[in-house]
Amino acid sequence: WHPEYRLRKGLILVALLVLLNVLTITSMLGINPFRSFWSSPDRMTGLYTLWHFFVYFLMLYSLRKEFNWQKYFKFLFGVSLIVALFVLVQKVAPGFFLSGEASRPGSFLGNPSMLAGYLIFNIFLGAWLGAISTGWQKWLFYLAAGYEAFAIFLGSTRGAMIGLALGALVFLVYKAYTPYKTYRSLKNSAAIILVALVIFAGIFMATRSAAIWQSIPGLDRLASISKTEGSINNRLIVWGLAVGSCKQSPIIGNGWENFKYTFDSRYDPKLFRSGFGETFWDRPHNVFLEYLAASGLLGLLAYLGVLAAAAYVI
């Protein structure tokens, strides 16, 4: 009834529609469409969930002019800060609220990897809120974003720490080489921080076997990364299984959330060296291979299209 609220064509909107339709169609032709639609109780990321997220996106998109986005983002970041603060509670008193490893807390999510994935987005969101704020609020947002980065290191999820570092490097390179007419100090600060991080990374890689790194949360696990290390080696094996599964159905894959069938049918006994827990993988732990295995080349290209659309619009 109100034309101003009707959806307008947008690059991200089109890219998301293409991705969701590709996932839906390829899942209908996959191994287990029922599992693709509902997923499993411990994941809850089936097509049912994804389409609900998309409807939520449409709602926000149609109200984008009336919506108070800064207030919305501040609320989201505030929630993430509460989640991150509980990491310290778990470190001090592991059994206070939720049971789990004191060495790798997962806060309310109960899983350090999922916690890290959740916090990474909010770290950059907090940094952006700091950049557009003034006075004491600016530094409060910066401090909170820095603490959330520290919380990721307390959780010691190596992939997330590497991803966070690479994201920060890309951001700093952009800021260091972007011409500024009025914010020359920002450009210089970014260049100084960038050089300092590169030097620190070089020293760390050259001395990562030193005892000092073993006493620092997060860095101790980064120092242990190698192809022969159990967790890394197992991932490489499963990535190979994911790539191999695409040879059977390279165009449409095996269906969303159906990787466990691929894993079972191609199980590599070498994984059993790390214990019985390595007999169950329902994800390849690589988002690109996940889309490739689930929906073939169509799904991978559609997913890359969403990332490309977002980068272009930004």
Side-chain angles (χ1 to χ4, degrees), residues 169 192-206 213:
L169 285 175
I192 293 172
I193 296 174
L194 178 63
V195 171
L197 285 178
V198 171
I199 293 175
F200 173 78
I203 295 175
F204 173 74
M205 292 302 297
W213 304 122

Side-chain angles (χ1 to χ4, degrees), residues 268-283:
D268 189 333
K270 294 178 182 177
L271 292 168
F272 200 69
R273 295 170 179 170
S274 300
F276 187 74
E278 299 300 320
T279 60
F280 178 81
W281 284 60
D282 61 349
R283 295 283 175 85

Side-chain angles (χ1 to χ4, degrees), residues 55-65 67 69 72:
V55 172
Y56 183 49
F57 164 77
L58 294 182
M59 183 182 73
L60 296 176
Y61 183 63
S62 65
L63 297 172
R64 62 191 181 280
K65 293 182 179 179
F67 207 76
W69 289 98
Y72 178 63

Side-chain angles (χ1 to χ4, degrees), residues 31 234-235 237-242 245 254 258-272 275-285 293:
I31 296 175
N234 291 346
R235 276 170 168 73
I237 292 175
V238 176
W239 290 0
L241 300 181
S245 71
N254 296 317
N258 283 337
F259 183 74
K260 80 182 211 69
Y261 302 112
T262 296
F263 177 79
D264 290 345
S265 64
R266 294 174 170 269
Y267 182 73
D268 189 333
K270 294 178 182 177
L271 292 168
F272 200 69
F276 187 74
E278 299 300 320
T279 60
F280 178 81
W281 284 60
D282 61 349
R283 295 283 175 85
H285 288 258

Side-chain angles (χ1 to χ4, degrees), residues 68-78 125 128-129:
N68 190 330
W69 289 98
Q70 286 193 32
K71 183 181 293 186
Y72 178 63
F73 288 141
K74 287 178 180 178
F75 175 78
L76 293 182
F77 183 69
L125 179 60
W128 174 75
L129 288 171

Side-chain angles (χ1 to χ4, degrees), residues 17 76 158:
L17 265 176
L76 293 182
R158 291 177 293 194

